[in-house]
Amino acid sequence: MTTLSSGSSLLITDVTNIRKDFPILSRTIHDKPLVYLDNAASSQKPVQVLDSMDHYYRHTHANVHRGVHTLSQEATELFEASRRRIADFIGAPNEAEVIFTRGATESINLVAYTFGLSQLMEGDEIMLSEMEHHSNIVPWQIVCAMKKANIKVIPILDDGTLDMEWFERNLNAKTKLVAVTHVSNALGTINPVEEIIRLAHQQGIPVMLDGAQATPHMSINVKKLDVDFYAFSSHKMYGPTGMGVLYGKSSWLNLLPPWQGGGEMIAEVKWSGTTYNKLPFKYEAGTPDIAGAIGLAAACEYINQFDRDGMLQYEQALLTACTKAMESIPGVRTVGTAPHKASVYSFIIDGLHPYDIGTLLDQQGIAVRTGHHCTQPLMERFCIPGTVRASFAIYNTMEEIEKLVQATRKAIQILT
Amino acid sequence: MQTAHSSIELEQEKVIEEFSQFTDWSDKYEYLIDLGKALPALDEKYKTEFHLVKGCQSKVWLHAFVKENKLYLVADSDTVITKGIIALLIRVLNGQDILDIEKADLTFIEAIGLKSHLSPTRSNGLISMIQHIKSYARNLSITSQPEIASDPASQQALMIRQIKEVYDPEIPVDIWELGLIYTLGIDEHGKVQITMTLTSPACPVAGSLPLEVQEKLMQLPFVTDVELTLVWNPAWSKDRMSDEAKMALDMF
Ligand SMILES: Cc1ncc(COP(=O)(O)O)c(C=O)c1O
């Protein structure tokens, strides 16, 4: 194992302590210790997040923004303080630009419906990329069908990077929005989003980034990025499920129409017409997921206690070690070899089906994802039915990578 | 206790007995994988959309036919573990009486610790495969009388019964009552010609309906092929719904 622990010894000692924060990691699967390598699908939750939500429900719960009574005020303060903390976490200049949603999917739908229905005309174009998650494809297909607008797809090169030349060449006066993923969930590619935003803005085109796979790993600053919309999910970054965020520049969010109607999002309701609440409430119809917001804020705080560069380096060390060790197994082929990758390792094995490998890894206590990862067009691009994907979080260890390697060898031996 | 065990039950017991020897997971899977590898490859002519059983992680192709009231199965998959389980299913069900298959309770899969492979999250096509075999057997038990199998009116009625199992995702009325089927016919070779429409060209979820209709029709033993044409002209309107459908929708 010494061969694997490259340049990350400083943090490895801490990982034992970090792991203690995650109760689920002491579980066994098929009588073997759980090796959880499916973090890109959803990460596990530290006690700090669990406790924050538990404490809220036990001591502070009431509906928010509605009552003069003390509990409602306390709940509202906690909820809004969570919004501030999350705004800080992504460098949003104004917390009113942080809209709570159900997850990245709902955030993207919010943009698709409000922006798409109000800004698109027949023949207009939305630019997506070939590596998008279905949740950044289907909402645009629905809206473009309604508006008779077209989707243009930025192709990717064999290493899993975007064809930036194509992108630059094909931006044009008909392009109304560029909506691409910050980090690919299937390949791990970190896209050159600064460059994408610069090129699009040069032509006055707004940009939406799908940050679902970026926020768990990298520190994000939406102001520095100058991005117009940024969507992400809480559950992939140590927070609870059912919670997500859409950051949007207030200049856009004020301009766009409301989406869902209901309580909270109104200023005044009359039969003759209704006026809408100010941001962020305009986009938060109904009682929000209060505990979810509190849990996500706790997750942001949890991440913030680490030196962010150190965290990134540690995860990169896991990725590098994993790639090297897995590629030494005969027949293993890495899918996605971009120079800049988040800690996502996708692979296939010559002649073997991902489903069979995933099943035999599971028997050995190792949780990986197999299949198309909700990126069917991308799998088609590579002419493969799917991949096996190991994705790492801060609590994974070099020892677990060694287990993955051994277990993969065993799976191959059983299958061939 | 039951008086006579069907041979399906006896075969299940044998499989359970065999698997009880394995104490280690890897021995069990090695055995299963060997079974999968030994399963004869399916003739390429059956590896078509029609024989494809829906599954998302893996593909399963199934061809079933009947001889003297007994059902025979050939099947294949792109994953070898799924193939292993298919081999077991074939071993238990192949050549059995269609009435027994219709009633069969396939408990052996759980008993040998492979139940997780039938969980919907696996989406490997095995559950659908079992459903297909059962509905195939059910249809066969109705159509095994030669006079039904060749009588056009009975065939039409059976085709309609199959189509009535398909629903537009958002509407609680089957697509036959909705009036989505414009024409339906079958020739003497068992080839079905069907034209249908969808409630709206913009409805992406409904896009899978034609495939579902084809699958349902292919489950009928006398159907050899389905040629489905999707048309937008004339466009569907509420007037095309049957009175029953209108009533059902008013009530909802
Ligand atoms: C890149 C990317 N975008 C969007 C999503 C959708 O996230 P959610 O299901 O939490 O809404 C995912 C989740 O897998 C993802 O990986």
Side-chain angles (χ1 to χ4, degrees), chain A residues 32 142 145 353 355-356 359-360 362-364 369-372 385 410 413-416, chain B residues 24-26 29-30 33 37 56-59 78-82 117 122 124 202 204:
Chain A
K32 282 141 207 138
I142 295 172
H353 197 286
Y355 178 89
D356 293 328
T359 301
L360 297 183
D362 174 63
Q363 287 295 321
Q364 302 175 73
R369 176 86 185 266
T370 63
H372 55 61
K410 171 129 187 164
Q413 176 219 320
I414 294 175
L415 284 164
T416 48
Chain B
D24 187 45
W25 70 272
S26 57
Y29 273 92
E30 258 170 54
I33 287 159
K37 286 181 185 162
C56 157
Q57 294 255 6
S58 69
K59 289 182 175 153
D78 55 351
T79 104
V80 68
I81 292 175
T82 307
H117 287 276
R122 292 274 181 158
N124 52 12

Side-chain angles (χ1 to χ4, degrees), chain B residues 69-86:
Chain B
N69 277 345
K70 306 233 183 285
L71 187 72
Y72 295 88
L73 304 163
V74 278
D76 204 347
S77 171
D78 55 351
T79 104
V80 68
I81 292 175
T82 307
K83 262 174 96 162
I85 298 172
I86 288 174

Side-chain angles (χ1 to χ4, degrees), chain A residues 374-397:
Chain A
C374 298
T375 57
Q376 282 176 333
L378 179 65
M379 297 298 119
E380 213 165 283
R381 156 72 176 75
F382 283 106
C383 301
I384 49 179
T387 73
V388 185
R389 180 187 71 186
S391 52
F392 310 109
I394 186 70
Y395 44 69
N396 289 122
T397 65

